[in-house]
Amino acid sequence: MCFMIMKIKGLNFLILTAAMAHKSFQPIVLVHGGAGDIPDSRVSAKLDGVCRAARKGYEILQKTGSVLDGIVAAVELMEDEPAFNAGKGSVLTLEGNIEMEALICEGKNLKSGAVTLVKNIAHPISLARRVMVETPHAFLGGEAVNEFAARMGVPTVPDDYLFTSAAQAALDHFKQAKSIPSKMEIGEVGVGTVGSVAIDAAGHMASATSTGGITGKYNGRIGDTPLLGCGGYADDERGTVSTTGHGETIMRYNLAQRILADIASGKSAQEGTKDQCEGMTKRLNNTGGAITISSRGEVGVFFTSKRMAWAYQLGDELHYGIEHGQHLVDKV
Ligand code: ASP
């Protein structure tokens, strides 16, 4: 609570100015590069990608003051990186197609935009942002997304731009092994979904998640990523979350929303993230992970998969890790 002294007609008035009472937060852009059985051979590319994305997102947040600009910059960088399962490097459906999905949410007005079954677009996350900003809707899917992209002047990219030999190898492996699409990262060729959450100095928050889905999925399969409360959520009164892992499991469990409910009930960001990832795996026998920032400005990172790359910049420190219990800090 703040007080202000005002002089009116020679008299001093003590005025309570609740509106002026604001808390200040340390801005953070936190990112993940997907939960899964990430093989040793892919650890350094993942770490390098998440560290660059966290720094880029933080730089843009500091420059523009917009959490949305920060998370979109971070996610776009990872969509451009073939080391991740989003944009370029997306995994393939059983028929060998790329069908991408993305969700963006902002916590001040609870606005959101989502896209699914997107083809030939380099940055699905930017398209999701346009759905949020430019349409009366929160979710567009299928061919309509590409029609919308064309109306917005968003250029398409050829199939070759998005396809990678690693995604093809993952599909070949999937077919040989007669797998069911429940593991996010298969052998030496797996890749990962990307996500970012951020808070600005005023406590405004946002979340962004982008994915190619899971290797060997049916054409037309929609996962957790574009679904509110599953792939992500942001509410300035609770916190912001981006999730990754087996989509059918995450959507059945409502992972993002459960983490925020824990935070609302008083748990720290780390406790809520850990308890709900573990609870989901115990209950539904599939792995996942999440990154969280609470409305108190705390960071939460947890995963029940073998690995998940994550990173965030806080002032002049870069925090990052990929193994369980690993938390490295470098000066930037
Ligand atoms: N959750 C994503 C999906 O199932 C995959 C991932 O997070 O790696 O589509």
Side-chain angles (χ1 to χ4, degrees), residues 16 105 129 139 153-154 168 182-183 201 264 267 309:
L16 265 180
C105 318
R129 185 179 187 176
F139 201 164
V154 177
Q168 186 60 55
S182 64
K183 289 262 182 205
K267 284 190 190 176

Coordinates of all heavy atoms in Angstrom, one line a residue, residues 16 105 129 139 153-154 168 182-183 201 264 267 309:
L16 N -4.5 7.3 0.3 CA -4.1 5.9 0.1 C -4.1 5.6 -1.4 O -5.1 5.8 -2.1 CB -5.1 4.9 0.7 CG -4.8 4.4 2.1 CD1 -5.9 3.5 2.6 CD2 -3.4 3.7 2.2
C105 N -0.2 -17.8 -25.2 CA -1.2 -17.3 -24.2 C -0.6 -16.1 -23.5 O 0.6 -16.1 -23.2 CB -1.5 -18.3 -23.1 SG -1.7 -20.0 -23.6
R129 N 0.2 -16.4 -32.7 CA 0.1 -15.0 -32.2 C -0.9 -14.1 -33.0 O -1.7 -13.4 -32.5 CB 1.4 -14.3 -32.2 CG 1.4 -13.0 -31.5 CD 2.8 -12.4 -31.4 NE 2.8 -11.1 -30.7 CZ 3.9 -10.4 -30.4 NH1 5.1 -10.8 -30.8 NH2 3.8 -9.3 -29.7
F139 N -8.6 -20.4 -31.8 CA -8.0 -21.6 -32.3 C -8.4 -21.8 -33.8 O -9.6 -21.8 -34.1 CB -8.5 -22.8 -31.5 CG -7.7 -24.1 -31.5 CD1 -7.9 -25.1 -30.6 CD2 -6.7 -24.3 -32.5 CE1 -7.1 -26.2 -30.5 CE2 -6.0 -25.4 -32.5 CZ -6.2 -26.4 -31.5
G153 N -0.4 -12.5 -45.2 CA 0.9 -12.2 -46.0 C 2.0 -13.0 -45.4 O 3.2 -12.7 -45.7
V154 N 1.7 -14.1 -44.6 CA 2.8 -14.9 -44.1 C 3.3 -15.9 -45.2 O 2.5 -16.6 -45.8 CB 2.3 -15.7 -42.9 CG1 3.4 -16.7 -42.4 CG2 1.9 -14.8 -41.8
Q168 N 13.2 -38.2 -40.9 CA 12.9 -39.4 -41.7 C 13.5 -40.7 -41.1 O 12.8 -41.7 -41.0 CB 13.6 -39.2 -43.1 CG 13.3 -40.3 -44.1 CD 11.8 -40.4 -44.4 OE1 11.1 -39.5 -44.8 NE2 11.2 -41.6 -44.2
S182 N 4.4 -43.3 -28.5 CA 4.2 -42.9 -27.1 C 5.6 -42.3 -26.6 O 5.6 -41.5 -25.6 CB 3.8 -44.0 -26.1 OG 4.8 -45.0 -26.1
K183 N 6.7 -42.6 -27.2 CA 8.0 -42.1 -26.8 C 8.3 -40.8 -27.7 O 8.1 -40.9 -28.9 CB 9.1 -43.1 -27.0 CG 9.0 -44.2 -26.0 CD 9.9 -44.0 -24.9 CE 9.9 -45.1 -23.9 NZ 10.3 -44.7 -22.6
A201 N 8.8 -6.9 -15.7 CA 9.0 -6.3 -14.4 C 7.7 -6.0 -13.7 O 7.7 -5.9 -12.5 CB 9.8 -5.0 -14.6
A264 N -1.6 -21.8 -7.1 CA -2.6 -21.0 -6.5 C -2.9 -21.4 -5.0 O -3.3 -20.7 -4.2 CB -3.9 -21.1 -7.3
K267 N 1.8 -23.7 -3.3 CA 3.1 -24.3 -3.6 C 4.0 -23.4 -4.4 O 3.5 -22.6 -5.1 CB 2.8 -25.6 -4.4 CG 2.3 -26.8 -3.6 CD 2.3 -28.0 -4.4 CE 1.6 -29.1 -3.7 NZ 1.5 -30.4 -4.5
A309 N 16.1 -30.3 -22.0 CA 17.0 -29.1 -22.0 C 16.2 -27.8 -21.6 O 15.0 -27.7 -22.1 CB 17.6 -28.9 -23.4

